[in-house]
Amino acid sequence: MPSLTISSSMWIMTANELKEKLTRLTVIAQRSMDYASHHRLVNQDTIRLLQPYYDGACALWENYWLRVVPAMTDSDARRKWFRDVDEVLREDRSPGPDDLTSWCLRAFLAFAALEAMHTHDMSYLSDEVNGSINQHVMRESCIQVTGRRPPTLAPQPGPPTGSSLVGTKLRMRDPNTFLDTEYTIVDFAHSTFSGYIYVLEFVASEGPQTRIVSQGELEELSSQQSRWQTRTSHR
């Protein structure tokens, strides 16, 4: 895909700047999610225990002062935004050990900055340069988080994961209300300890609700949908 044209007055990060910043923020996001999920790993029920802290972070994020990323055309505002992000995410400003809501919020901010660079700055670079950046970030962040290089594996067939599932709708009978309920996958994250986790949105009698599920739970929900659809089609 050809890169976009850069205006002479527009600030775009260089490839080396992107490698450094993307690696740092990927490590922060990963470690923040790992810390939150591992800290609550009690009786193997990480997801249920993490839910209220995640919900609290979502509520804070709605009005968070760095939630809105400045437009690409406002170079001064973008530079300041990224400086502020770096300041907030300094290692010596990490949350306290039991402040899991702030650990989730820290991950949200890191993910927002990562998305801004992927969708803004990298759209002005060639596919070859972006490929080099992504390889560097994957290798270096894996080394920093796990202490080892990422394995080189041949592609293996498996269930879809991550961003490919965002927007997917699941319709099944709610086990509590026995009502036909539609769930929409609206977000996801990945943790070294817990793997993929997904945020499902649905409407209950008290209004819109969210629910966090693991990859295994999501696959089970998909299986339930298939069985439920089979039963209803034979009525």
Side-chain angles (χ1 to χ4, degrees):
M1 183 178 67
S3 57
L4 300 176
T5 302
I6 303 175
S7 168
S8 58
S9 61
M10 189 180 296
W11 174 62
I12 303 293
M13 293 187 203
T14 66
N16 286 335
E17 288 173 331
L18 285 166
K19 287 178 181 179
E20 185 276 328
K21 194 172 287 291
L22 285 167
T23 299
R24 175 176 175 269
L25 289 168
T26 298
V27 170
I28 289 173
Q30 182 69 68
R31 285 177 173 168
S32 297
M33 292 303 298
D34 284 350
Y35 182 88
S37 60
H38 185 57
H39 191 71
R40 303 303 300 180
L41 193 59
V42 180
N43 298 323
Q44 301 298 311
D45 201 2
T46 306
I47 303 301
R48 182 180 65 80
L49 291 169
L50 185 59
Q51 179 82 52
Y53 300 99
Y54 179 92
D55 290 344
C58 286
L60 292 173
W61 182 250
E62 285 299 313
N63 296 301
Y64 193 65
W65 68 291
L66 290 173
R67 180 175 180 268
V68 178
V69 182
M72 280 295 295
T73 53
D74 194 341
S75 295
D76 290 340
R78 289 189 75 241
R79 284 192 179 96
K80 183 181 185 305
W81 187 84
F82 277 105
R83 285 197 302 269
D84 288 340
V85 169
D86 288 341
E87 180 67 19
V88 170
L89 295 180
R90 277 171 31 192
E91 187 172 354
D92 62 356
R93 298 185 64 176
S94 297
D98 294 317
D99 189 1
L100 301 191
T101 294
S102 292
W103 279 103
C104 290
L105 192 62
R106 183 177 173 86
F108 290 176
L109 180 57
F111 282 128
L114 288 169
E115 184 177 4
M117 287 183 283
H118 277 289
T119 58
H120 293 169
D121 299 78
M122 293 180 72
S123 64
Y124 290 86
L125 302 177
S126 67
D127 288 344
E128 181 180 1
V129 173
N130 283 333
S132 173
I133 292 172
N134 288 331
Q135 287 181 357
H136 173 91
V137 172
M138 181 178 69
R139 181 182 66 252
E140 295 303 317
S141 61
C142 184
I143 291 173
Q144 291 186 42
V145 172
T146 68
R148 59 183 183 274
R149 288 178 174 271
T152 303
L153 302 173
Q156 297 292 328
T161 57
S163 60
S164 63
L165 287 175
V166 173
T168 299
K169 296 183 183 299
L170 301 173
R171 182 176 290 276
M172 67 200 77
R173 178 165 293 179
D174 187 292
N176 298 316
T177 65
F178 300 104
L179 297 175
D180 178 13
T181 303
E182 182 177 86
Y183 297 86
T184 303
I185 302 174
V186 296
D187 201 359
F188 78 99
H190 185 272
S191 162
T192 301
F193 291 105
S194 302
Y196 281 99
I197 58 175
Y198 298 89
V199 181
L200 307 184
E201 189 174 74
F202 63 100
V203 177
S205 57
E206 59 270 31
Q209 303 289 315
T210 58
R211 173 183 174 187
I212 301 177
V213 298
S214 66
Q215 179 72 32
E217 289 172 317
L218 183 65
E219 291 171 10
E220 175 60 25
L221 286 173
S222 299
S223 176
Q224 290 176 18
Q225 173 181 246
S226 298
R227 294 195 297 269
W228 181 72
Q229 288 177 334
T230 299
R231 289 197 300 269
T232 56
S233 66
H234 285 84
R235 288 178 181 173

